[in-house]
Amino acid sequence: MGILSLSFIFTSASSNTKQRRKNEVNIQPGNKDPSPPPPNDLSNSGLINTNESHNQSTSLPLSSTQSHSLNSSSNNGLLYLQPEYAVFTRSLAECNIHELIRQPTGVDKNEWIANNIVAFFNHVNALYNAMCDFCTPATCPVMTGPQNSSYLWLDERNKKIKYSAPQYIDLSMMFIQKTLSDDTIFPTRLDQQFPLYFDSLVRKMVRLLFHAVAHLYAVHYRQLIELQLHPHLNSLFLHFISFLITSNIISPDCSTVHMNSSGTLSSSLATPGQTDARELRTELDTLDVLYQLLANQWRHAYGQACAQKRKQQTTNENI
């Protein structure tokens, strides 16, 4: 299996946004100038507060130390929380995330959210497809996430069903793809309006996407490291969660994690009208430490990229 290339969305204000989204598969971003200094607030914000042609990884092949760490890691030392693996694609490390997730002037908020949801779906689906050989009903009989969390599917009769991870994620991707293709929900013409229940449906899709990402971190991060795909997942996760915070899709006053009678985290998928921001917030809390780690690591990487560019500019001026 080869290295997966992903691109991250830079959406500009345009009257053709809806039409572009209709046929969007892979979005090629524009080039952003990393000259501004690294923002201070991203690295200090947990979840509760508040791009390129072929992406190249900022990570190198595993060193002997990293290989030993990979082989000797235990459940008490989660791989995705080890700083040596908190690396990104070069495009994300060299761009200003605040500019990446900022809603452009003149673009409707729902339109901006819709375009980003399409992009996140493409990236999550691509990354999971790269792991499909490792994620099978035999290896992942239950759809699990970090901190012993589990995700149950709620069918049209409100019955909770325990699916294997590949079954759950396949159902999720099919649901999201079908929803994105529905012009009554994600309109593609300028004379169409977003439905009144758009916000709740977005939260449902966001929860499904997060469940897939959380499963990759909790169960398949070792395989991602071995295939050098972890920079893509880290870049996607940081971009995804930062966007949710900036777009107020995550409610800032949601409750904290709740434990069930067995002492483990659990959650279930609700229908669009029942999807609650509090439940989404609770699930996102399971990877809050990871988000803060990646935010700090990104700020350091972005600061280095800015310094390198300024140094290069000074060199060129002196020639």
Side-chain angles (χ1 to χ4, degrees):
M1 186 180 300
I3 299 299
L4 180 66
S5 292
L6 296 176
S7 59
F8 287 81
I9 180 173
F10 277 98
T11 305
S12 60
S14 170
S15 61
N16 296 323
T17 304
K18 290 186 178 181
Q19 188 60 39
R20 288 205 312 272
R21 172 160 48 79
K22 184 175 182 180
N23 299 314
E24 187 176 79
V25 178
N26 291 310
I27 302 176
Q28 296 299 326
N31 293 322
K32 300 296 286 186
D33 187 342
S35 56
N40 292 319
D41 53 334
L42 181 63
S43 62
N44 297 322
S45 62
L47 298 183
I48 201 165
N49 300 318
T50 237
N51 305 347
E52 71 206 297
S53 54
H54 291 289
N55 286 1
Q56 297 179 356
S57 170
T58 59
S59 66
L60 299 174
L62 297 182
S63 65
S64 59
T65 302
Q66 289 176 314
S67 297
H68 175 73
S69 174
L70 185 62
N71 293 329
S72 62
S73 65
S74 65
N75 290 333
N76 294 326
L78 298 172
L79 284 175
Y80 58 80
L81 292 182
Q82 296 184 20
E84 61 264 38
Y85 299 123
V87 292
F88 311 96
T89 58
R90 183 170 298 170
S91 61
L92 193 77
E94 295 180 355
C95 83
N96 188 333
I97 290 182
H98 291 271
E99 290 300 314
L100 184 67
I101 61 180
R102 181 180 58 84
Q103 180 181 336
T105 303
V107 173
D108 176 74
K109 180 179 180 180
N110 285 342
E111 189 63 50
W112 176 239
I113 290 175
N115 274 272
N116 278 273
I117 293 298
V118 170
F120 290 133
F121 164 71
N122 286 330
H123 300 324
V124 172
N125 193 43
L127 265 177
Y128 179 72
N129 284 338
M131 288 289 103
C132 62
D133 289 341
F134 304 101
C135 187
T136 67
T139 60
C140 304
V142 179
M143 180 59 182
T144 56
Q147 300 184 22
N148 296 320
S149 56
S150 60
Y151 309 120
L152 303 178
W153 188 268
L154 203 65
D155 67 10
E156 62 277 2
R157 294 176 296 178
N158 289 333
K159 179 182 178 182
K160 293 181 180 180
I161 304 176
K162 183 184 291 186
Y163 283 119
S164 68
Q167 289 176 311
Y168 185 98
I169 295 177
D170 283 348
L171 285 171
S172 300
M173 297 300 107
M174 286 190 294
F175 169 80
I176 296 174
Q177 187 172 40
K178 181 179 179 181
T179 304
L180 294 176
S181 301
D182 189 339
D183 280 358
T184 65
I185 301 173
F186 281 76
T188 55
R189 298 202 315 268
L190 294 176
D191 60 343
Q192 293 176 306
Q193 300 296 320
F194 288 91
L196 296 177
Y197 55 87
F198 181 72
D199 289 347
S200 62
L201 192 54
V202 164
R203 283 195 296 272
K204 176 175 181 177
M205 290 188 289
V206 163
R207 289 182 70 192
L208 291 173
L209 291 174
F210 176 78
H211 292 169
V213 169
H215 181 73
L216 290 177
Y217 273 115
V219 181
H220 300 293
Y221 200 66
R222 181 184 299 272
Q223 288 97 1
L224 287 160
I225 292 174
E226 291 171 347
L227 294 175
Q228 290 288 285
L229 291 176
H230 58 299
H232 296 284
L233 180 61
N234 292 338
S235 299
L236 172 60
F237 178 76
L238 183 62
H239 182 187
F240 181 51
I241 301 301
S242 299
F243 176 78
L244 297 185
I245 295 171
T246 301
S247 302
N248 293 321
I249 295 174
I250 301 176
S251 176
D253 58 351
C254 293
S255 63
T256 56
V257 174
H258 294 286
M259 294 288 184
N260 59 25
S261 58
S262 63
T264 60
L265 292 163
S266 63
S267 60
S268 60
L269 178 65
T271 58
Q274 296 171 324
T275 300
D276 190 88
R278 189 172 293 107
E279 294 177 341
L280 172 60
R281 173 65 251 213
T282 296
E283 293 168 353
L284 292 171
D285 276 340
T286 64
L287 287 177
D288 181 56
V289 175
L290 173 64
Y291 176 73
Q292 295 183 53
L293 169 64
L294 293 179
N296 280 307
Q297 293 289 88
W298 167 80
R299 186 170 182 269
H300 177 70
Y302 179 64
Q304 287 186 320
C306 290
Q308 182 63 33
K309 181 172 183 179
R310 289 194 295 270
K311 181 179 179 180
Q312 184 62 45
Q313 289 175 337
T314 300
T315 301
N316 293 339
E317 290 172 357
N318 293 332
I319 295 177

